[in-house]
Amino acid sequence: MRDRILHQLQQLEKTEGITILHAVESGSRAWGFPSPDSDYDVRFIYIRSCEAYLRLEKRRDVLELPIDEELDISGWDLDKALRLLHGSNPTLFEWCQSPIAYKTTPLFQSFLPTIHAYFADKSGLWHYLSTAEGNYREYLKGERVRVKKYFYVIRPLLACRWILENHTPPPMRFTDLADTQLEPALRPVVRELLRIKMAAPEVEEMPRIDALNTFIEDNLPRLRARIEALPRENPPDWAPLNALFLSAVYSAGKPTIKARS
């Protein structure tokens, strides 16, 4: 599968005229709890030639391949990624530390100090809290629930705890979060749930686990209150991102557009 993914990325570079700077796994496989039938969620950041950024016509800043049963591949243009970074978009921080990397480049690695400097606690906290609240509200209040949805609530909830304690992006691996942020009494319950999740199909259902639901219901409002009490964050400076983008685009090649009479 890795060879297939790399081939697809190489074909994208040829057909779209791009350079992929960084490509990783971003879903349950990177989080450490894939089901036997989980697909591959491949995400990447790419850059075009300098000439492409100087054109007047608008262009898409997202590339996607048709989704099949095994592969879901999509990526962001560098300019989109950096605009989202200015708002401390948590997705980009996850891509930067995914434990499954399909490709990276020295240029992208040189960006990492700047990227990490733009992490903002409150923005990350709101993202993960909203994810946990939405998944809990939609999927975990019935008598029977989908196994995987527990992890789509517990992981972001623990990510909030991590941010409040460490003031850094949370680790991708679920076990790294659970080992440090989950109450010891619940760890055996979650380990067993993890075993079931990784042995069962994506649609597997089970009876609701009251101990986990109680834990979630107790923590969600507490986290919301703590986040709301945090001071407003000042907007970050655009200058380092502009400088990074310009240097990256210039390195992609000087413009070759010729004026026409």
Side-chain angles (χ1 to χ4, degrees):
M1 180 54 72
R2 184 180 183 89
D3 289 342
R4 182 183 169 195
I5 289 168
L6 289 172
H7 176 72
Q8 293 277 25
L9 295 176
Q10 289 167 357
Q11 288 300 111
L12 261 175
E13 287 185 312
K14 291 178 181 178
T15 58
E16 295 291 337
I18 62 171
T19 299
I20 292 176
L21 300 176
H22 190 64
V24 299
E25 187 69 29
S26 72
S28 60
R29 293 180 183 277
W31 296 330
F33 49 75
S35 299
D37 58 346
S38 291
D39 63 0
Y40 289 77
D41 296 304
V42 182
R43 300 293 179 265
F44 61 91
I45 297 169
Y46 64 91
I47 190 170
R48 295 188 180 274
S49 68
C50 182
E51 177 179 315
Y53 296 103
L54 295 175
R55 294 182 182 274
L56 296 178
E57 64 266 30
K58 290 185 177 180
R59 55 179 174 73
R60 293 193 68 211
D61 55 10
V62 176
L63 290 177
E64 300 160 320
L65 287 179
I67 298 173
D68 62 30
E69 293 182 355
E70 291 185 305
L71 276 178
D72 177 358
I73 301 179
S74 66
W76 293 344
D77 197 316
L78 180 63
D79 62 351
K80 177 183 178 71
L82 295 180
R83 288 196 302 270
L84 291 173
L85 178 61
H86 185 262
S88 192
N89 184 288
T91 300
L92 185 56
F93 297 105
E94 294 207 351
W95 294 3
C96 289
Q97 58 178 332
S98 172
I100 305 174
Y102 297 111
K103 176 182 179 178
T104 192
T105 58
L107 181 61
F108 185 82
Q109 292 299 309
S110 73
F111 298 165
L112 292 180
T114 300
I115 290 173
H116 292 316
Y118 277 79
F119 180 74
D121 288 11
K122 199 166 186 177
S123 297
L125 287 164
W126 279 128
H127 168 83
Y128 288 112
L129 181 66
S130 297
T131 300
E133 289 178 333
N135 279 290
Y136 184 65
R137 182 174 59 250
E138 294 294 324
Y139 300 108
L140 295 182
K141 292 196 170 185
E143 291 300 316
R144 293 187 64 80
V145 299
R146 288 176 66 180
V147 176
K148 77 175 202 176
K149 294 303 180 180
Y150 268 118
F151 293 97
Y152 285 71
V153 173
I154 296 173
R155 181 180 178 273
L157 188 155
L158 298 181
C160 286
R161 287 181 156 198
W162 174 281
I163 294 170
L164 287 167
E165 179 180 323
N166 298 285
H167 308 288
T168 61
M172 282 282 276
R173 290 284 188 188
F174 176 78
T175 51
D176 292 338
L177 284 170
D179 289 347
T180 59
Q181 303 300 319
L182 187 63
E183 279 80 344
L186 286 177
R187 290 176 191 173
V189 177
V190 172
R191 278 197 297 268
E192 175 61 14
L193 187 64
L194 189 62
R195 185 193 67 77
I196 295 171
K197 163 69 170 71
M198 296 180 70
E202 285 280 295
V203 297
E204 184 76 5
E205 291 188 347
M206 67 181 298
R208 183 181 64 211
I209 302 173
D210 289 336
L212 288 182
N213 281 53
T214 298
F215 168 75
I216 293 166
E217 290 172 358
D218 286 347
N219 276 272
L220 288 179
R222 292 180 186 176
L223 286 168
R224 174 167 282 276
R226 289 190 65 182
I227 297 169
E228 288 175 344
L230 292 175
R232 182 190 298 272
E233 292 171 331
N234 294 323
D237 188 1
W238 279 102
L241 297 181
N242 285 325
L244 186 154
F245 179 66
L246 289 173
S247 64
V249 170
Y250 190 78
S251 72
K254 296 180 181 180
T256 59
I257 295 177
K258 296 181 180 179
R260 296 181 180 179
S261 57

